[in-house]
Amino acid sequence: MTNMEVGTKSMRNLAVELGLTEEEYDRIIELIGREPTFEELGMFSVMWSEHCSYKNSILVLKTLPRSGPKLLVSAGEENAGLVDIGDGLAVAFKIESHNHPSAVEPYQGAATGVGGILRDIFTMGARPIAILNSLRFGELSNPRVKYLFNGVVRGIADYGNSFGCPTVGGEVYFEKCYNQNPLVNAMAVGIVRKDEIVRAVAKGEGNPVLIVGSRTGRDGIHGATFASEEITEESEAKRPSVQVGDPFTEKLLLEATLEAIKTGHIVGIQDMGAAGITCSTSEMSARGESGMEIDLDLVPTREKGMSAYEILLSESQERMLMVVERGFEDEIINIFKKWDLNAVVIGYVTSDGMLRVKKDGKVVANIPADSLVVGGGAPIYQREAKEPEYLQEVRKFDPHEIEQPKDFNEVFLKLISSPNIASKEWVYEQYDTMVQTNTVVLPGGDAVVVRIKGTNKALALKTDCNSRYVYLNPYRGAIIAVAESARNVVCVGAEPIAITNCLNFGNPYKPEIFWQFKEAVRGMGDACRFLGTPVTGGNVSFYNEAPQGSVYPTPVIGMLGLIDDLKFITTASFKTPGDVIILLGKNTGEIGGSEYLAWIHGKVLGDAPFIDLEIEKRVQQVCLEGIRLGLVKSAHDVSDGGIAVALAECCIIDKENMLGCDVKIEDGIRPDFLLFGEGQSRIIVTVEEGNLDRFEKLCKRFGIPYSILGFVTEEQKVKINDWIDLKIDEIADVYYNALRKIMEVI
């Protein structure tokens, strides 16, 4: 938009076009004491968008447990969360969404989502060691969904592989509600020495402000605004709002940044993600209780004739803002030149709290820095919340109305062919999971494990959310998301220590959507407090809606677990014939929201499974204690598809050593509900027969329900009562090839 075009309409009308309300426009006038300039209005429109300001969510988010003994910064204070893991080291980790860009340009949308989250990690001084993701797509029978799925996976793979950081884990689910609005959440994890942590702050009057990395182009302008509106048929026209990534430049930027940090002359760094220069200059100034003056004529640009508005709002990738100690700017600039990157002084820190922007010798913006940011001048709202009427309907479901199958073998094979249960090898084979040579437990298990070089420690990492459960019961579904992600890292021998989250919901102005959001955050908070896993930060993504309706509420949990000794690393696969198979927890036969109900019977009904956090915690403690005592040889969470699927996975997950099982379960529960129900707080473990007595005493000491199911066998079969009797090869063929066959034709 040009200044000439602005002249044909009032600034108030333009404000509404840019996503602000008339009341917000009046608030701007009140804050700065006059009508804003065209450039200032653009700055307020992006910074007060939901994507940047969290104006509709911040009051709810503040109810989460956001501090703890191992947290080095409170949630939201820095580019990413920081957790102390001892030995002078900290973990920086965070998850963010790139949903809307991926809906219109899947390859670049996903790729730049990965690039942005990596910069959030290394701007803190941390070297990224792992990338994860959480993905949601529509039905794969839909050609456009296939196109989106393929493009997103390639975008994630190409960026991570080229950058040189392993993409080690994640989750992929398919539901009709995501047909037009996929969810693409990217998570990154890095390691930093505690004495080399850098803050996202601007301090020290007269300290130079540098822009480093790529040149600024016209891509991504108003990307933050685009992410704060619903997907419509017109969204395809928003392709220019999607940034274009360059992972090779990002790799250079990583190395140059870490080298610059080692000089000790960096005051603060912030990634230029959403809202670009506007966001980094205002947020760094506000955090430092300072101001900043910058000259846009000094910003390296890719295109001639870029206006102040375009430079301020561009979201071109691989750029960062850096504040350097005065007198050392040349040393820092030379480091970036060595890596063939731009590093240009574009301004300096001031002490008056104002963000002053010049172009062509004129001041185009002069506003209080904190007027743009959350906690300062940005508006904060408490939206109306109302329980959705659909819940009354779905809760009327009587599971006994479902016809009991006649052939459980047939149903079981069909169930493991579901894209939500079948192996995601087609996805993670495209990722370089072993670059940096730290990956100990590969994708496909309960959680991935990445060792920390120079120590005997490792990190366990997991992303998790069953959005069907949250749809049916937002509070309980969110509790389950936290509990299951914790259970997953426990199964590989780790203690859960903290989470990050990515909260994907519909339009918060709709009372039913906001009720889902509030209830999910309440559930997440209660679970995190009980399990001792504080929230380090994350992302809220609203407006995940298309004309056909909202996506399921999807609060994705990124769980961090710590393994103190590499010898405790445990996997899900059965190890030795004759080992005793034990179920920790209790079968309940609940099928509400289950994959069995959805895939076999075509229904998403009922309530989310019941969960008792006290039992959940004790089950996790027994599993972890059993691992540390050397009693537990394998551990696997019971989740999607129930105990039948979990047992089969234990048999086939290690392709080099597939073993069978012979199981007898006598719980008096209807067979299909017992086999495929998704009751919570259950872990399948194996112990040597000689250690059974010790392990049973451990279970009794913690007071958890448990049962002996049977034995691991050399016979290549999965046998469960008289209901399931199938060869391992037949199960493995369906499990490993179902998704691959669907994606063969794109």
Side-chain angles (χ1 to χ4, degrees), residues 388-451:
E389 292 182 5
Y390 76 81
L391 287 176
Q392 304 302 319
E393 293 302 313
V394 298
R395 300 273 176 83
K396 292 177 181 176
F397 169 66
D398 179 359
H400 293 281
E401 293 175 358
I402 298 295
E403 185 178 353
Q404 185 167 312
K406 295 180 175 61
D407 186 335
F408 292 109
N409 286 329
E410 181 183 351
V411 170
F412 173 76
L413 290 174
K414 183 178 178 182
L415 186 60
I416 62 168
S417 75
S418 159
N420 289 337
I421 288 181
S423 169
K424 307 304 184 296
E425 272 191 353
W426 181 87
V427 176
Y428 58 75
E429 279 177 350
Q430 299 182 52
Y431 304 150
D432 188 339
T433 58
M434 289 301 294
V435 64
Q436 299 185 14
T437 65
N438 292 324
T439 312
V440 182
V441 177
L442 294 168
D446 288 80
V448 294
V449 177
V450 182
R451 69 189 173 106

Side-chain angles (χ1 to χ4, degrees), residues 376-388:
I380 296 176
Y381 301 117
Q382 177 66 63
R383 293 292 168 204
E384 180 188 355
K386 177 185 175 184
E387 183 175 332

Side-chain angles (χ1 to χ4, degrees), residues 47-118:
M47 291 302 294
W48 285 11
S49 69
E50 180 64 38
H51 190 74
C52 290
S53 74
Y54 290 5
K55 59 189 176 185
N56 292 308
S57 58
I58 189 66
L59 290 177
V60 178
L61 295 177
K62 285 183 175 180
T63 65
L64 291 169
R66 306 196 300 167
S67 60
K70 293 184 179 180
L71 267 58
L72 297 175
V73 294
S74 293
E77 286 186 0
E78 298 292 338
N79 288 316
L82 274 173
V83 178
D84 189 344
I85 57 169
D87 298 325
L89 299 175
V91 176
F93 75 123
K94 188 180 182 183
I95 188 169
E96 281 197 342
S97 64
H98 234 223
N99 302 336
H100 283 43
S102 301
V104 299
E105 179 28 69
Y107 181 86
Q108 288 294 351
T112 53
V114 173
I117 201 68
L118 285 168

Side-chain angles (χ1 to χ4, degrees), residues 17-28:
E17 278 190 27
L18 294 177
L20 295 165
T21 65
E22 291 198 32
E23 292 77 12
E24 287 170 346
Y25 183 74
D26 290 335
R27 181 182 176 89
I28 292 169

Side-chain angles (χ1 to χ4, degrees), residues 512-525:
E512 294 81 4
I513 298 294
F514 198 72
W515 185 87
Q516 291 176 333
F517 174 73
K518 284 184 67 176
E519 285 295 287
V521 171
R522 184 169 71 90
M524 184 187 310

Side-chain angles (χ1 to χ4, degrees), residues 332-512:
I332 300 302
I333 288 170
N334 287 333
I335 289 173
F336 281 86
K337 280 184 177 178
K338 183 185 76 174
W339 290 97
D340 201 23
L341 293 168
N342 292 300
V344 178
V345 176
I346 63 168
Y348 56 90
V349 178
T350 65
S351 60
D352 61 3
M354 300 297 289
L355 178 55
R356 195 170 294 108
V357 182
K358 293 181 177 179
K359 179 78 167 71
D360 300 326
K362 298 177 182 177
V363 175
V364 296
N366 188 24
I367 48 183
D370 68 356
S371 70
L372 291 165
V373 303
V374 63
I380 296 176
Y381 301 117
Q382 177 66 63
R383 293 292 168 204
E384 180 188 355
K386 177 185 175 184
E387 183 175 332
E389 292 182 5
Y390 76 81
L391 287 176
Q392 304 302 319
E393 293 302 313
V394 298
R395 300 273 176 83
K396 292 177 181 176
F397 169 66
D398 179 359
H400 293 281
E401 293 175 358
I402 298 295
E403 185 178 353
Q404 185 167 312
K406 295 180 175 61
D407 186 335
F408 292 109
N409 286 329
E410 181 183 351
V411 170
F412 173 76
L413 290 174
K414 183 178 178 182
L415 186 60
I416 62 168
S417 75
S418 159
N420 289 337
I421 288 181
S423 169
K424 307 304 184 296
E425 272 191 353
W426 181 87
V427 176
Y428 58 75
E429 279 177 350
Q430 299 182 52
Y431 304 150
D432 188 339
T433 58
M434 289 301 294
V435 64
Q436 299 185 14
T437 65
N438 292 324
T439 312
V440 182
V441 177
L442 294 168
D446 288 80
V448 294
V449 177
V450 182
R451 69 189 173 106
I452 304 169
K453 280 183 178 172
T455 76
N456 196 37
K457 295 179 178 180
L459 300 178
L461 308 167
K462 177 66 177 179
T463 56
D464 204 283
C465 178
N466 187 314
S467 55
R468 275 199 215 118
Y469 294 168
V470 188
Y471 168 74
L472 295 172
N473 190 326
Y475 174 74
R476 195 187 295 170
I479 289 178
I480 291 171
V482 175
E484 185 173 346
S485 59
R487 205 182 311 140
N488 286 139
V489 302
V490 163
C491 285
V492 296
E495 177 189 359
I497 56 175
I499 74 160
T500 180
N501 60 54
C502 196
L503 310 179
N504 306 272
F505 289 80
N507 186 337
Y509 288 79
K510 297 178 179 177
E512 294 81 4

